[in-house]
Amino acid sequence: MAEEHNKTNNSSPHVVIFPFPSQGHINPLIQFAKRLSSKGVKPTLITTIYIAKTSPYPNSSIVVEPISDGFDDGGFKSATSAESYIDTFHQVGSKSLANLIRKLVNEGNHVDAIIYDSFVTWALDVAMEYGIDGGCFFTQACAVNNIYYHVYKGVLEIPLQAAAPPTVTILLPELPQLQLWETPSFVHNPGPYPGWAHIVFNQFPNIHNARWVFSNTFFKLEEQVIKWMRLMWPLMVVGPTVPSMYLDKRLEDDDDYGMSLLKPNHIECMGWLNNKPKGSVVYVSFGSYGELGVAQMEEIAWGLNESSVNYLWVVRETEKEKLPKSFLANGLIVEWCRQLEVLAHEAVGCFVTHCGFNSSLETISLGVPVVAIPQWTDQTTNAKCLEDIWGVGIRAKTPVTRTNLVWCIKEIMEGERGAVARKNAIKWKDLAIEAVSPGGSSDKDINEFVSQLSPIKC
Ligand code: UDP
């Protein structure tokens, strides 16, 4: 049921799309590229040489061009630290991006816009050097961007907040009152990850030079904070960037992001799920990047076993050694899965999630209620939104204990709160579909962007 076209030619608008090279940033920008392609725009997706080598992208409607991040042989994990990766990526990546733009132009291409991840603000400086319009793409919730912006502006003073007693609360425009621990981890505990803290607080210095600002959320999900941000920036809200087959079904065969940095145990997962009763499975994942402490891993492992439910738990290879030695899983443990297919499976009744923003949007888009176990970065604030604002689940106490996890799972799978969360999740699912369908808020914003791309000068 492909309603939209994707025929492009050399006079079609051409947009270069540049995600930060991690799974949680690549996924939304790939989906945005697919949407643009369906509306007659030619997208070129930039990835790193290492990712292009190790995770080739099969979708023929999007051209992939690799640039160097300075770690061509081993990628991010071969850097000595996040700080060294971020710094080298900036130095090497900006030169490599400039070379790519020159190459594209020398080959006779026009480049009408560079849509860059808000984590690589330097890409806008490169775009401007070549007279190309830039669009800053935020992959995190507007609620979270709002908080980071106030840190950037000095309204939230990080050392003061860190030193503040835990009872301090924070009140920012269009957000509910937040406890300190409900802010992103970099706000209440900036010490351990200075490189990431620097990136998230510094997404804004050149944003006034961006012709567009995009956000992967949808209007009704974050209406108040979106309205507030629109007073400052030309914000286009284009999410949820979940493959079309799970939402409006207008993009033919679009049922997967398509670039998986880890290999999914797909057949095993689906075979296992197919044998489970409707709504009986708890799906558990902590995303592509985060690392659990050994004690947390142990509590979660025993909690899942003790909860006596069917569970499917993603434990990445690098995390497996933290499983308790004597642990024999009652459920299925896989190293990676196709999360969307799992969440969409009728056997799944609950998502125990770290609350990465993609996972949050995916669970909402598929109507699955959650038990939230946020770890760090924006996850603490996303968990607040999932429980208190969107009403789709409950937060476990952190650090989570096995007893609390058993209680949370029971509450969502069998309790009154679970019934309410499920109802709300279905409501959000319908609103997410509405947003990306013809005439919906996200669809309108994408159309508006396409209409603003400069026509080709003959
Ligand atoms: N994901 C997946 N398989 C898994 C676990 C996660 O495909 O086994 C995908 C998930 O659908 C999401 C992304 O990886 O799109 C993770 O992004 P998120 O923002 O949730 O968390 P992050 O990995 O950035 O912490």
Side-chain angles (χ1 to χ4, degrees):
M1 193 171 57
E3 186 189 295
E4 306 214 1
H5 64 95
N6 63 0
K7 292 203 173 45
T8 56
N9 55 43
N10 203 36
S11 63
S12 305
H14 175 211
V15 168
V16 168
I17 299 200
F18 183 17
F20 187 82
S22 72
Q23 192 74 65
H25 288 244
I26 291 170
N27 286 357
L29 279 140
I30 281 190
Q31 284 312 123
F32 188 50
K34 289 184 197 167
R35 285 276 169 197
L36 293 178
S37 167
S38 80
K39 292 174 186 288
V41 174
K42 245 183 4 178
T44 293
L45 182 79
I46 297 187
T47 186
T48 62
I49 291 173
Y50 175 73
I51 290 178
K53 271 193 299 204
T54 50
S55 310
Y57 185 61
N59 184 324
S60 58
S61 68
I62 301 175
V63 175
V64 174
E65 289 281 359
I67 65 167
S68 179
D69 57 358
F71 299 89
D72 299 346
D73 295 327
F76 176 78
K77 60 182 182 300
S78 66
T80 49
S81 64
E83 289 69 40
S84 126
Y85 182 82
I86 291 163
D87 192 45
T88 309
F89 187 27
H90 182 171
Q91 303 311 324
V92 177
S94 45
K95 289 196 186 81
S96 192
L97 177 63
N99 290 341
L100 174 64
I101 294 170
R102 279 198 297 273
K103 182 190 99 146
L104 289 171
V105 171
N106 288 340
E107 288 170 354
N109 298 287
H110 49 94
V111 179
D112 300 301
I114 296 185
I115 310 299
Y116 62 95
D117 194 306
S118 58
F119 278 22
V120 289
T121 49
W122 43 264
L124 178 59
D125 302 332
V126 177
M128 288 173 65
E129 246 176 72
Y130 290 86
I132 299 170
D133 286 333
C136 176
F137 194 109
F138 287 98
T139 60
Q140 303 191 317
C142 282
V144 168
N145 299 331
N146 178 345
I147 298 170
Y148 290 150
Y149 180 72
H150 282 94
V151 175
Y152 171 71
K153 291 303 266 184
V155 176
L156 271 182
E157 288 180 51
I158 289 308
L160 268 187
Q161 295 303 327
T167 48
V168 159
T169 56
I170 289 168
L171 197 56
L172 292 173
E174 309 307 339
L175 292 182
Q177 183 157 298
L178 297 172
Q179 305 295 319
L180 209 50
W181 55 273
E182 294 174 325
T183 60
S185 67
F186 304 126
V187 175
H188 61 262
N189 183 20
Y193 304 101
W196 294 122
H198 182 80
I199 275 201
V200 299
F201 297 149
N202 288 283
Q203 299 175 85
F204 312 98
N206 57 2
I207 196 165
H208 54 279
N209 290 326
R211 181 170 169 198
W212 307 276
V213 175
F214 300 95
S215 178
N216 177 25
T217 181
F218 58 99
F219 186 72
K220 288 193 175 156
L221 191 69
E222 297 200 89
E223 186 169 341
Q224 298 310 324
V225 70
I226 288 169
K227 282 183 179 159
W228 176 78
M229 283 190 166
R230 281 186 167 155
L231 300 175
M232 294 189 296
W233 304 320
L235 179 65
M236 297 186 157
V237 179
V238 297
T241 57
V242 165
S244 173
M245 282 301 149
Y246 297 100
L247 295 171
D248 57 317
K249 301 186 173 39
R250 282 191 291 162
L251 274 58
E252 201 166 9
D253 298 331
D254 180 30
D255 57 3
D256 188 23
Y257 293 106
M259 188 183 279
S260 190
L261 306 189
L262 296 169
K263 200 174 161 339
N265 306 55
H266 182 58
I267 294 173
E268 193 184 3
C269 285
M270 287 300 128
W272 186 86
L273 283 173
N274 288 341
N275 286 320
K276 297 289 175 281
K278 192 171 173 188
S280 72
V281 171
V282 174
Y283 167 60
V284 189
S285 169
F286 292 87
S288 64
Y289 188 75
E291 294 170 4
L292 289 172
V294 174
Q296 282 293 274
M297 196 75 160
E298 183 163 13
E299 291 304 304
I300 290 165
W302 293 122
L304 289 173
N305 263 9
E306 282 172 25
S307 70
S308 307
V309 287
N310 296 316
Y311 66 84
L312 167 56
W313 184 10
V314 176
V315 181
R316 300 192 317 274
E317 197 201 343
T318 46
E319 291 285 282
K320 271 194 152 163
E321 63 178 22
K322 295 181 198 162
L323 285 167
K325 294 286 168 280
S326 57
F327 179 67
L328 267 183
N330 288 343
L332 176 66
I333 296 187
V334 295
E335 289 179 5
W336 195 247
C337 71
R338 286 197 201 153
Q339 179 160 300
L340 282 163
E341 266 187 75
V342 169
L343 287 173
H345 199 287
E346 65 167 17
V348 172
C350 164
F351 182 12
V352 175
T353 174
H354 72 313
C355 311
F357 194 51
N358 293 289
S359 295
S360 304
L361 285 176
E362 289 164 11
T363 208
I364 276 176
S365 300
L366 293 164
V368 180
V370 305
V371 171
I373 311 186
Q375 300 296 303
W376 70 314
T377 175
D378 59 335
Q379 296 157 16
T380 29
T381 309
N382 297 339
K384 161 82 176 173
C385 295
L386 286 163
E387 182 184 72
D388 279 354
I389 304 180
W390 305 325
V392 298
I394 44 180
R395 282 174 286 184
K397 293 200 179 2
T398 46
V400 68
T401 61
R402 65 191 79 180
T403 325
N404 182 238
L405 181 57
V406 172
W407 182 85
C408 289
I409 288 175
K410 197 169 164 50
E411 195 66 12
I412 289 295
M413 293 295 273
E414 299 168 21
E416 182 56 29
R417 286 182 76 181
V420 173
R422 197 161 293 107
K423 209 165 137 212
N424 284 334
I426 301 286
K427 177 193 84 180
W428 288 117
K429 171 184 169 162
D430 291 342
L431 292 171
I433 294 172
E434 180 187 283
V436 296
S437 294
S441 55
S442 298
D443 191 57
K444 276 194 196 155
D445 277 11
I446 298 171
N447 288 343
E448 175 59 25
F449 168 60
V450 173
S451 76
Q452 288 179 16
L453 288 171
S454 28
I456 306 308
K457 296 157 196 94
C458 299

